[in-house]
Amino acid sequence: MADASSGGASDGTTVRSVAITDPLATPMLTELTAEYCRRYGEENGRYEMNSIPDSDFAPPHGGVLLLEHDGEVIAGGAFRRWEHDLEQAAATGGGLGGTVEFKRVWTARAHRRRGLARRVMSELEAAARRTGYRTAFLITGPAQPEAIALYTRLGYTRLDPADVPGIVYPDCVPFIRRLVEGGVEAAP
């Protein structure tokens, strides 16, 4: 993915693919760090935001997408390869290497309740399909009921964290969703 705009909506919102280290991603990373520290404590929040190497979010297996409106970054998210084999992913045609993990899904505080997280998820899913992923996996926390509700509305299936290899937080809320069914984009 190039560091360039990749499309716009009728409302003037542009989707931009950037490196996680790009200064345009700073608002997303700063607000997410503050939010995670507030909800989960300073140590856990900082661990979550610093535990994954930047290279995981780089092509060819990852990426970062930002939504911009009138020159302001208003929402975003990232994806990377999920390295752990999920029995549920194998059952949906995914399996090792075929599963993407979505991370850093964020909407700027001043722009919430406008459907931007849904748009971010749609853009992340499309980018993951273009990259060749067949199954999406993500983890949220118990202190994020709005995220749990969003992923449920989008058709993600909640998993038992005890059944998911590689889980760091035993009280997390993992989800999975098929992105491709029989070579065709899966319906939401």
Side-chain angles (χ1 to χ4, degrees):
M1 281 188 250
D3 291 348
S5 297
S6 62
S10 61
D11 68 354
T13 302
T14 302
V15 179
R16 184 178 293 270
S17 176
V18 301
I20 194 92
T21 56
D22 189 302
L24 288 172
T26 300
M28 176 178 76
L29 301 174
T30 300
E31 278 197 31
L32 279 174
T33 300
E35 187 81 13
Y36 292 165
C37 288
R38 185 179 66 76
R39 292 185 190 217
Y40 299 105
E42 187 79 19
E43 183 178 339
N44 287 336
R46 294 206 179 279
Y47 175 81
E48 173 58 28
M49 291 303 293
N50 295 305
S51 63
I52 299 170
D54 292 346
S55 60
D56 279 17
F57 298 116
H61 302 295
V64 177
L65 301 178
L66 301 175
L67 300 185
E68 271 188 322
H69 187 78
D70 292 334
E72 178 187 4
V73 175
I74 58 173
F79 68 96
R80 69 182 187 143
R81 181 195 315 246
W82 178 251
E83 295 290 347
H84 304 278
D85 196 11
L86 295 171
E87 187 174 310
Q88 298 87 346
T92 62
L96 188 63
T99 302
V100 65
E101 181 183 21
F102 295 138
K103 301 289 288 180
R104 314 290 184 251
V105 176
W106 161 82
T107 301
R109 186 171 287 286
H111 296 278
R112 292 184 180 167
R113 310 298 306 160
R114 293 179 34 202
L116 294 171
R118 180 183 289 268
R119 170 93 186 269
V120 167
M121 290 300 295
S122 176
E123 297 289 348
L124 287 171
E125 288 174 350
R129 280 187 202 95
R130 287 190 303 271
T131 305
Y133 293 112
R134 300 175 59 83
T135 303
F137 171 74
L138 59 87
I139 299 168
T140 192
Q144 293 171 267
E146 66 282 5
I148 294 168
L150 171 69
Y151 303 137
T152 301
R153 280 193 311 273
L154 293 176
Y156 282 75
T157 301
R158 192 169 173 166
L159 302 174
D160 182 338
D163 295 336
V164 181
I167 291 289
V168 176
Y169 308 107
D171 65 341
C172 71
V173 184
F175 287 90
I176 194 169
R177 183 165 115 62
R178 180 184 247 168
L179 297 175
V180 177
E181 292 181 26
V184 179
E185 181 177 324

